[in-house]
Amino acid sequence: MTAPRVDIDLAKVEHNARTLVEQLAPKGIRVTGVTKAALAAPSVANAMVRGGVVGLGDARIENLTRLKEGGFAVPITLVRSPMLSQVEMVVRTSDTSLNTEPAVLDALSAAAVAQRTRHAVILMVELGDLREGVSAEHLIHLAASVGRWPGLVLAGIGTNLACQSGIVPDQSKMDELSRLVEQVELACGHPLTIVSGGNSANLEWALTAEDVGRVDELRLGEAILLGVEPLHRRVLQGLHTDAFTLVGELIEVQHKPTQPWGALGQSAFGPPQPRAGTGTIRQGLVAVGRQDVDPDGLVPPDGTTIIGASSDHVVLDLGGHGSVGDELRFGLNYSALVRAMTSPFVAKTERPGPSGGMR
Ligand SMILES: *Cc1c(COP(=O)(O)O)cnc(C)c1O
């Protein structure tokens, strides 16, 4: 089989989605499955839908187009504030988008009117992580004005924490969001249908909170795809962490000294990482590199150690394992997954889920 490749176990993606959907449902929280780390592969999105997510979200127009062409029955959300230059495509490919800028709302409305439709917006509020979002005061003001745009419907409000600065979405942040819902509903004169509390980093809170307040939706990517929460990268109970594996092929296996020799300059990617140890090792080269994956986010096979990487190689201490031509399987963290899925040099192969094949 071709290498390098990412093996995708769709049954595990489906299982992870279903487990989270079932854990959150009693709390009144629905799940939007975020597909961006899988480049919105229709089979992965389909596994999420089989698992019970009520919507799909992605950050890129190209991926939203793939979802649109997949013909999914669930609503599709752009989870990044639209580019002013892409509003027509946003309205064409998505039912809903996350927003913070009046100029963008104005253009979205015009695009929706031109396409004889109405586009739903979720206004994002800044609660301290310092990525997207308007201030609480600005939010009330903006919410009150959405009704004046003929092409728009105010579907709800949302926030995003943890991704930029690591700010924890805890009870106090979520209480703040719930309080804002009441103020926004007063200002706009109708109830909100979506209160989007955040991403996979919200799970620790959502699964243990006594009272989730008005939060009724989470946008989950990493937890579904990799089975971990992003705050401490702890494995979520009952979830698979190996729905995605990177497979690479060994192209050189040689006994070599542990330490390089000669005068020392920089390596291809800046100052070289010093190597530990003395003596010789069985060194292996795998034909996959920084251009394809984040080597720091790879988990090598048991009994082997990653000692370095360049554009086209991952270098391992193989111990007693592997010979030339063998395939090695690596676990992936979020960073490694995103890059591997995005590299045109990495093939993607899918094992279908039990309840249906690919679409
Ligand atoms: C990527 C993204 C998500 C999903 O984040 P995960 O940590 O993968 O669950 C949710 N919301 C927004 C705004 C995003 O950009």
Side-chain angles (χ1 to χ4, degrees), residues 13 20 23 27-28 38 49 55 67 69 89 124 126 140 142-143 147 152 170 200 217 221 252 256 267 331:
V13 175
L20 290 165
Q23 287 173 343
K27 312 233 169 198
V49 170
L67 291 178
E69 286 167 356
M89 280 303 287
M124 297 296 278
E126 175 62 73
I140 312 297
L142 200 55
L152 302 182
D170 55 15
S200 294
E217 190 231 24
E252 181 187 300
K256 296 204 182 188
S267 74

PDB file of all heavy atoms in Angstrom, residues 13 20 23 27-28 38 49 55 67 69 89 124 126 140 142-143 147 152 170 200 217 221 252 256 267 331:
ATOM      1  N   VAL A  13     -14.291   7.055  14.673  1.00  0.00           N
ATOM      2  CA  VAL A  13     -14.789   8.442  14.637  1.00  0.00           C
ATOM      3  C   VAL A  13     -16.265   8.462  15.011  1.00  0.00           C
ATOM      4  O   VAL A  13     -16.706   9.279  15.836  1.00  0.00           O
ATOM      5  CB  VAL A  13     -14.587   9.070  13.234  1.00  0.00           C
ATOM      6  CG1 VAL A  13     -15.199  10.456  13.157  1.00  0.00           C
ATOM      7  CG2 VAL A  13     -13.098   9.117  12.869  1.00  0.00           C
ATOM      8  N   LEU A  20     -19.852  11.179  22.810  1.00  0.00           N
ATOM      9  CA  LEU A  20     -19.947  12.569  23.274  1.00  0.00           C
ATOM     10  C   LEU A  20     -21.375  13.092  23.154  1.00  0.00           C
ATOM     11  O   LEU A  20     -21.883  13.765  24.066  1.00  0.00           O
ATOM     12  CB  LEU A  20     -18.971  13.456  22.478  1.00  0.00           C
ATOM     13  CG  LEU A  20     -17.490  13.184  22.795  1.00  0.00           C
ATOM     14  CD1 LEU A  20     -16.588  13.794  21.739  1.00  0.00           C
ATOM     15  CD2 LEU A  20     -17.130  13.716  24.187  1.00  0.00           C
ATOM     16  N   GLN A  23     -23.321  11.679  26.002  1.00  0.00           N
ATOM     17  CA  GLN A  23     -22.950  12.240  27.305  1.00  0.00           C
ATOM     18  C   GLN A  23     -23.491  13.654  27.480  1.00  0.00           C
ATOM     19  O   GLN A  23     -23.805  14.074  28.588  1.00  0.00           O
ATOM     20  CB  GLN A  23     -21.415  12.256  27.467  1.00  0.00           C
ATOM     21  CG  GLN A  23     -20.815  10.867  27.692  1.00  0.00           C
ATOM     22  CD  GLN A  23     -19.294  10.891  27.670  1.00  0.00           C
ATOM     23  OE1 GLN A  23     -18.677  11.852  27.186  1.00  0.00           O
ATOM     24  NE2 GLN A  23     -18.676   9.836  28.181  1.00  0.00           N
ATOM     25  N   LYS A  27     -27.623  16.929  29.321  1.00  0.00           N
ATOM     26  CA  LYS A  27     -27.364  18.288  29.791  1.00  0.00           C
ATOM     27  C   LYS A  27     -28.022  19.322  28.891  1.00  0.00           C
ATOM     28  O   LYS A  27     -27.867  20.528  29.097  1.00  0.00           O
ATOM     29  CB  LYS A  27     -25.858  18.555  29.809  1.00  0.00           C
ATOM     30  CG  LYS A  27     -25.063  17.454  30.460  1.00  0.00           C
ATOM     31  CD  LYS A  27     -24.166  17.994  31.527  1.00  0.00           C
ATOM     32  CE  LYS A  27     -23.583  16.862  32.362  1.00  0.00           C
ATOM     33  NZ  LYS A  27     -23.059  17.336  33.634  1.00  0.00           N
ATOM     34  N   GLY A  28     -28.672  18.860  27.852  1.00  0.00           N
ATOM     35  CA  GLY A  28     -29.303  19.793  26.916  1.00  0.00           C
ATOM     36  C   GLY A  28     -28.317  20.430  25.957  1.00  0.00           C
ATOM     37  O   GLY A  28     -28.563  21.498  25.418  1.00  0.00           O
ATOM     38  N   ALA A  38      -9.745  17.291   9.479  1.00  0.00           N
ATOM     39  CA  ALA A  38      -9.822  16.195   8.506  1.00  0.00           C
ATOM     40  C   ALA A  38     -10.115  16.742   7.109  1.00  0.00           C
ATOM     41  O   ALA A  38     -10.518  15.997   6.217  1.00  0.00           O
ATOM     42  CB  ALA A  38     -10.883  15.192   8.914  1.00  0.00           C
ATOM     43  N   VAL A  49     -21.962  12.429  11.527  1.00  0.00           N
ATOM     44  CA  VAL A  49     -23.424  12.527  11.428  1.00  0.00           C
ATOM     45  C   VAL A  49     -24.071  11.219  11.902  1.00  0.00           C
ATOM     46  O   VAL A  49     -25.055  11.232  12.641  1.00  0.00           O
ATOM     47  CB  VAL A  49     -23.851  12.879   9.980  1.00  0.00           C
ATOM     48  CG1 VAL A  49     -25.362  12.754   9.802  1.00  0.00           C
ATOM     49  CG2 VAL A  49     -23.393  14.304   9.638  1.00  0.00           C
ATOM     50  N   GLY A  55     -25.042  19.138  13.526  1.00  0.00           N
ATOM     51  CA  GLY A  55     -24.574  20.073  12.517  1.00  0.00           C
ATOM     52  C   GLY A  55     -23.110  19.805  12.235  1.00  0.00           C
ATOM     53  O   GLY A  55     -22.442  19.067  12.974  1.00  0.00           O
ATOM     54  N   LEU A  67     -18.338  19.918   2.026  1.00  0.00           N
ATOM     55  CA  LEU A  67     -19.483  19.503   2.844  1.00  0.00           C
ATOM     56  C   LEU A  67     -20.782  19.741   2.096  1.00  0.00           C
ATOM     57  O   LEU A  67     -21.689  18.903   2.097  1.00  0.00           O
ATOM     58  CB  LEU A  67     -19.496  20.270   4.175  1.00  0.00           C
ATOM     59  CG  LEU A  67     -18.379  19.931   5.166  1.00  0.00           C
ATOM     60  CD1 LEU A  67     -18.488  20.810   6.406  1.00  0.00           C
ATOM     61  CD2 LEU A  67     -18.417  18.453   5.561  1.00  0.00           C
ATOM     62  N   GLU A  69     -21.215  19.834  -1.106  1.00  0.00           N
ATOM     63  CA  GLU A  69     -21.350  18.849  -2.182  1.00  0.00           C
ATOM     64  C   GLU A  69     -21.684  17.456  -1.645  1.00  0.00           C
ATOM     65  O   GLU A  69     -22.246  16.626  -2.357  1.00  0.00           O
ATOM     66  CB  GLU A  69     -20.059  18.802  -3.027  1.00  0.00           C
ATOM     67  CG  GLU A  69     -19.929  20.025  -3.915  1.00  0.00           C
ATOM     68  CD  GLU A  69     -18.539  20.191  -4.524  1.00  0.00           C
ATOM     69  OE1 GLU A  69     -17.639  19.399  -4.202  1.00  0.00           O
ATOM     70  OE2 GLU A  69     -18.368  21.140  -5.322  1.00  0.00           O
ATOM     71  N   MET A  89     -19.649  33.187  -1.345  1.00  0.00           N
ATOM     72  CA  MET A  89     -19.397  31.752  -1.167  1.00  0.00           C
ATOM     73  C   MET A  89     -19.855  31.276   0.214  1.00  0.00           C
ATOM     74  O   MET A  89     -20.317  30.146   0.370  1.00  0.00           O
ATOM     75  CB  MET A  89     -17.907  31.444  -1.363  1.00  0.00           C
ATOM     76  CG  MET A  89     -17.482  31.343  -2.813  1.00  0.00           C
ATOM     77  SD  MET A  89     -18.427  30.082  -3.710  1.00  0.00           S
ATOM     78  CE  MET A  89     -17.699  28.579  -3.030  1.00  0.00           C
ATOM     79  N   MET A 124     -20.088  36.366  18.129  1.00  0.00           N
ATOM     80  CA  MET A 124     -19.083  35.851  19.064  1.00  0.00           C
ATOM     81  C   MET A 124     -18.672  36.938  20.049  1.00  0.00           C
ATOM     82  O   MET A 124     -18.409  38.084  19.662  1.00  0.00           O
ATOM     83  CB  MET A 124     -17.859  35.359  18.286  1.00  0.00           C
ATOM     84  CG  MET A 124     -18.157  34.186  17.361  1.00  0.00           C
ATOM     85  SD  MET A 124     -18.669  32.692  18.239  1.00  0.00           S
ATOM     86  CE  MET A 124     -17.069  32.028  18.722  1.00  0.00           C
ATOM     87  N   GLU A 126     -16.044  38.152  23.151  1.00  0.00           N
ATOM     88  CA  GLU A 126     -14.691  37.977  23.706  1.00  0.00           C
ATOM     89  C   GLU A 126     -14.789  37.804  25.214  1.00  0.00           C
ATOM     90  O   GLU A 126     -15.259  38.708  25.910  1.00  0.00           O
ATOM     91  CB  GLU A 126     -13.843  39.216  23.378  1.00  0.00           C
ATOM     92  CG  GLU A 126     -12.455  39.241  23.993  1.00  0.00           C
ATOM     93  CD  GLU A 126     -11.591  38.084  23.514  1.00  0.00           C
ATOM     94  OE1 GLU A 126     -11.159  38.112  22.345  1.00  0.00           O
ATOM     95  OE2 GLU A 126     -11.375  37.151  24.317  1.00  0.00           O
ATOM     96  N   ILE A 140     -24.298  43.435  22.830  1.00  0.00           N
ATOM     97  CA  ILE A 140     -25.709  43.786  23.007  1.00  0.00           C
ATOM     98  C   ILE A 140     -26.141  44.735  21.884  1.00  0.00           C
ATOM     99  O   ILE A 140     -27.199  44.566  21.262  1.00  0.00           O
ATOM    100  CB  ILE A 140     -25.945  44.468  24.383  1.00  0.00           C
ATOM    101  CG1 ILE A 140     -25.287  43.670  25.522  1.00  0.00           C
ATOM    102  CG2 ILE A 140     -27.424  44.702  24.631  1.00  0.00           C
ATOM    103  CD1 ILE A 140     -25.824  42.301  25.739  1.00  0.00           C
ATOM    104  N   LEU A 142     -24.730  45.167  18.926  1.00  0.00           N
ATOM    105  CA  LEU A 142     -24.702  44.506  17.618  1.00  0.00           C
ATOM    106  C   LEU A 142     -25.926  43.585  17.462  1.00  0.00           C
ATOM    107  O   LEU A 142     -26.559  43.544  16.397  1.00  0.00           O
ATOM    108  CB  LEU A 142     -23.404  43.691  17.509  1.00  0.00           C
ATOM    109  CG  LEU A 142     -22.896  43.289  16.131  1.00  0.00           C
ATOM    110  CD1 LEU A 142     -22.736  44.498  15.228  1.00  0.00           C
ATOM    111  CD2 LEU A 142     -21.550  42.560  16.276  1.00  0.00           C
ATOM    112  N   ALA A 143     -26.261  42.866  18.534  1.00  0.00           N
ATOM    113  CA  ALA A 143     -27.406  41.947  18.488  1.00  0.00           C
ATOM    114  C   ALA A 143     -28.693  42.712  18.191  1.00  0.00           C
ATOM    115  O   ALA A 143     -29.539  42.251  17.413  1.00  0.00           O
ATOM    116  CB  ALA A 143     -27.525  41.192  19.813  1.00  0.00           C
ATOM    117  N   GLY A 147     -31.410  42.595  13.319  1.00  0.00           N
ATOM    118  CA  GLY A 147     -32.749  42.585  12.731  1.00  0.00           C
ATOM    119  C   GLY A 147     -32.931  43.584  11.597  1.00  0.00           C
ATOM    120  O   GLY A 147     -33.831  43.442  10.767  1.00  0.00           O
ATOM    121  N   LEU A 152     -30.317  38.686   7.048  1.00  0.00           N
ATOM    122  CA  LEU A 152     -29.744  37.957   8.192  1.00  0.00           C
ATOM    123  C   LEU A 152     -30.790  37.577   9.232  1.00  0.00           C
ATOM    124  O   LEU A 152     -31.804  38.255   9.397  1.00  0.00           O
ATOM    125  CB  LEU A 152     -28.678  38.834   8.881  1.00  0.00           C
ATOM    126  CG  LEU A 152     -27.507  39.302   8.019  1.00  0.00           C
ATOM    127  CD1 LEU A 152     -26.525  40.105   8.873  1.00  0.00           C
ATOM    128  CD2 LEU A 152     -26.807  38.136   7.346  1.00  0.00           C
ATOM    129  N   ASP A 170     -14.379  27.783  32.110  1.00  0.00           N
ATOM    130  CA  ASP A 170     -14.877  27.227  33.364  1.00  0.00           C
ATOM    131  C   ASP A 170     -16.270  27.772  33.677  1.00  0.00           C
ATOM    132  O   ASP A 170     -16.876  28.482  32.870  1.00  0.00           O
ATOM    133  CB  ASP A 170     -13.890  27.529  34.502  1.00  0.00           C
ATOM    134  CG  ASP A 170     -13.590  29.020  34.631  1.00  0.00           C
ATOM    135  OD1 ASP A 170     -14.349  29.839  34.045  1.00  0.00           O
ATOM    136  OD2 ASP A 170     -12.618  29.369  35.310  1.00  0.00           O
ATOM    137  N   SER A 200     -13.703  21.719  22.021  1.00  0.00           N
ATOM    138  CA  SER A 200     -13.385  20.523  22.823  1.00  0.00           C
ATOM    139  C   SER A 200     -12.859  20.879  24.213  1.00  0.00           C
ATOM    140  O   SER A 200     -12.983  20.082  25.145  1.00  0.00           O
ATOM    141  CB  SER A 200     -12.337  19.662  22.101  1.00  0.00           C
ATOM    142  OG  SER A 200     -12.860  19.117  20.908  1.00  0.00           O
ATOM    143  N   GLU A 217     -25.034  24.236  22.954  1.00  0.00           N
ATOM    144  CA  GLU A 217     -24.304  23.656  21.823  1.00  0.00           C
ATOM    145  C   GLU A 217     -22.803  23.764  22.062  1.00  0.00           C
ATOM    146  O   GLU A 217     -22.326  24.729  22.652  1.00  0.00           O
ATOM    147  CB  GLU A 217     -24.658  24.409  20.529  1.00  0.00           C
ATOM    148  CG  GLU A 217     -24.150  23.732  19.281  1.00  0.00           C
ATOM    149  CD  GLU A 217     -23.376  24.647  18.349  1.00  0.00           C
ATOM    150  OE1 GLU A 217     -22.827  25.668  18.812  1.00  0.00           O
ATOM    151  OE2 GLU A 217     -23.291  24.335  17.172  1.00  0.00           O
ATOM    152  N   GLY A 221     -14.228  19.291  17.536  1.00  0.00           N
ATOM    153  CA  GLY A 221     -13.386  18.683  16.512  1.00  0.00           C
ATOM    154  C   GLY A 221     -12.446  17.664  17.129  1.00  0.00           C
ATOM    155  O   GLY A 221     -12.625  16.460  17.013  1.00  0.00           O
ATOM    156  N   GLU A 252      15.894   3.449   5.299  1.00  0.00           N
ATOM    157  CA  GLU A 252      17.294   3.145   5.641  1.00  0.00           C
ATOM    158  C   GLU A 252      17.335   2.636   7.071  1.00  0.00           C
ATOM    159  O   GLU A 252      16.688   3.219   7.944  1.00  0.00           O
ATOM    160  CB  GLU A 252      18.177   4.396   5.501  1.00  0.00           C
ATOM    161  CG  GLU A 252      19.643   4.114   5.827  1.00  0.00           C
ATOM    162  CD  GLU A 252      20.521   5.369   5.861  1.00  0.00           C
ATOM    163  OE1 GLU A 252      20.621   6.064   4.829  1.00  0.00           O
ATOM    164  OE2 GLU A 252      21.104   5.642   6.933  1.00  0.00           O
ATOM    165  N   LYS A 256      24.675   3.256  13.474  1.00  0.00           N
ATOM    166  CA  LYS A 256      25.412   4.524  13.387  1.00  0.00           C
ATOM    167  C   LYS A 256      25.776   4.997  14.783  1.00  0.00           C
ATOM    168  O   LYS A 256      25.103   4.647  15.763  1.00  0.00           O
ATOM    169  CB  LYS A 256      24.541   5.601  12.719  1.00  0.00           C
ATOM    170  CG  LYS A 256      24.188   5.277  11.284  1.00  0.00           C
ATOM    171  CD  LYS A 256      23.868   6.517  10.471  1.00  0.00           C
ATOM    172  CE  LYS A 256      23.489   6.072   9.054  1.00  0.00           C
ATOM    173  NZ  LYS A 256      23.343   7.201   8.138  1.00  0.00           N
ATOM    174  N   SER A 267      21.218  23.259  11.288  1.00  0.00           N
ATOM    175  CA  SER A 267      20.627  22.227  10.444  1.00  0.00           C
ATOM    176  C   SER A 267      19.602  22.887   9.519  1.00  0.00           C
ATOM    177  O   SER A 267      19.424  24.102   9.542  1.00  0.00           O
ATOM    178  CB  SER A 267      19.956  21.155  11.309  1.00  0.00           C
ATOM    179  OG  SER A 267      18.763  21.664  11.848  1.00  0.00           O
ATOM    180  N   GLY A 331       1.120   7.242  16.234  1.00  0.00           N
ATOM    181  CA  GLY A 331      -0.022   8.003  16.719  1.00  0.00           C
ATOM    182  C   GLY A 331       0.177   9.476  16.397  1.00  0.00           C
ATOM    183  O   GLY A 331       1.295   9.921  16.125  1.00  0.00           O
TER     184      GLY A 331
END
